[in-house]
């Protein structure tokens, strides 16, 4: 299950329990909407409550990331799991965004706030 919040030039996602393909597609729709109307977007992923994810989510993430390589400015991943941190680092290969992994929400939000206004034409 996911909860998505749209903010100006940012999509915030919190994942609970298993991250499924239906959840990921909901995320994609939210991001595509913001990109269409606002341009480049920041992402905030809170994965502290994520239990696991399905293999089709991992594949969809690769496909989506490659298709939107230039559409993200900053990506903050909030997690306490080393495995999730490693997989986030690996997915950075497919996007040109600045990506960081955090274990403290305050630090993640502060870092995203520092980048607000970057990439605006």
């Amino acid at each position: 299950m996911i909860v998505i919040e749209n903010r100006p030039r940012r999509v915030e996602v919190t994942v609970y329990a298993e991250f499924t393909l239906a959840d990921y597609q909901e995320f994609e729709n939210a991001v595509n909407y913001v990109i269409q109307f606002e341009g480049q977007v920041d992402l905030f992923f809170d994965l502290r409550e994520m239990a696991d994810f399905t293999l089709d989510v991992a594949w969809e993430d690769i496909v989506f990331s490659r298709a939107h390589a230039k559409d993200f400015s900053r990506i903050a991943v909030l997690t306490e799991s080393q495995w999730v941190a490693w997989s986030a680092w690996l997915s950075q290969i497919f996007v040109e965004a600045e990506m960081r992994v955090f274990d403290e929400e305050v630090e993640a939000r502060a870092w995203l706030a520092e980048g607000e206004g970057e990439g605006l034409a």
Side-chain angles (χ1 to χ4, degrees):
M1 178 187 154
I2 64 171
V3 174
I4 298 173
E5 293 183 45
N6 288 339
R7 303 198 183 279
R9 303 186 60 82
R10 181 183 306 165
V11 174
E12 298 188 0
V13 179
T14 303
V15 179
Y16 299 95
E18 184 176 65
F19 196 12
T20 66
L21 184 58
D23 294 332
Y24 197 90
Q25 290 167 337
E26 185 178 341
F27 157 73
E28 287 176 325
N29 290 335
V31 169
N32 283 330
Y33 181 85
V34 174
I35 290 169
Q36 179 181 359
F37 292 103
E38 297 181 30
Q40 215 175 41
V41 63
D42 288 338
L43 300 176
F44 174 81
F45 283 102
D46 184 344
L47 304 178
R48 293 174 294 180
E49 300 296 324
M50 182 178 75
D52 61 359
F53 56 90
T54 59
L55 186 56
D56 51 357
V57 167
W59 178 251
E60 189 68 16
D61 184 49
I62 292 169
V63 172
F64 186 75
S65 296
R66 290 186 64 169
H68 294 279
K70 296 181 181 189
D71 291 331
F72 306 113
S73 180
R74 288 184 170 204
I75 302 171
V77 178
L78 184 59
T79 184
E80 296 167 353
S81 164
Q82 290 300 319
W83 170 250
V84 173
W86 181 81
S87 62
W89 175 83
L90 188 60
S91 67
Q92 187 174 7
I93 294 169
F94 303 109
V95 294
E96 295 182 13
E98 190 175 355
M99 180 184 294
R100 292 199 186 164
V101 177
F102 297 88
D103 55 5
E104 296 292 330
E105 184 172 351
V106 172
E107 292 174 12
R109 291 187 180 283
W111 178 72
L112 285 173
E114 287 172 11
E116 288 179 357
E118 290 180 8
L120 294 176

